[in-house]
Amino acid sequence: ELSSELQTGDYDVVIAPYSEHNAIEANNTATTTYLPVALTSDEAAAAHQNYSKVMMADKDDIKHYLKAIHKTLKDVST
């Protein structure tokens, strides 16, 4: 489902679970930025090997993603 959605849209930024990184990278364009969301510290460590920005969320849920985005933006602005 994710792959077909990525193929139909023109996205500047994709925020998705790190566990989906293979599908995202396979359908990613040079102009799209992928911001992975890690759910565990092990996943975050693995994600940091390939991505400079990695967000942490407590759960794979939109509410937790929004909280991770807010925290990341807050950290960047300080």
Side-chain angles (χ1 to χ4, degrees):
E1 185 178 323
L2 177 61
S3 295
S4 65
E5 182 65 30
L6 289 171
Q7 291 173 357
T8 63
D10 183 26
Y11 302 96
D12 294 326
V13 177
V14 174
I15 299 171
Y18 176 68
S19 61
E20 298 288 344
H21 72 276
N22 287 333
I24 302 225
E25 292 297 336
N27 293 287
N28 202 4
T29 66
T31 60
T32 303
T33 300
Y34 168 46
L35 297 173
V37 180
L39 300 177
T40 66
S41 58
D42 289 342
E43 206 173 60
H48 274 294
Q49 291 180 9
N50 297 310
Y51 305 98
S52 60
K53 303 276 187 209
V54 177
M55 294 184 286
M56 286 290 299
D58 296 329
K59 292 182 181 178
D60 188 11
D61 178 80
I62 188 67
K63 175 175 69 174
H64 293 276
Y65 277 41
L66 293 172
K67 185 177 178 180
I69 293 166
H70 175 75
K71 182 179 181 329
T72 300
L73 290 173
K74 185 176 165 185
D75 291 345
V76 169
S77 66
T78 58

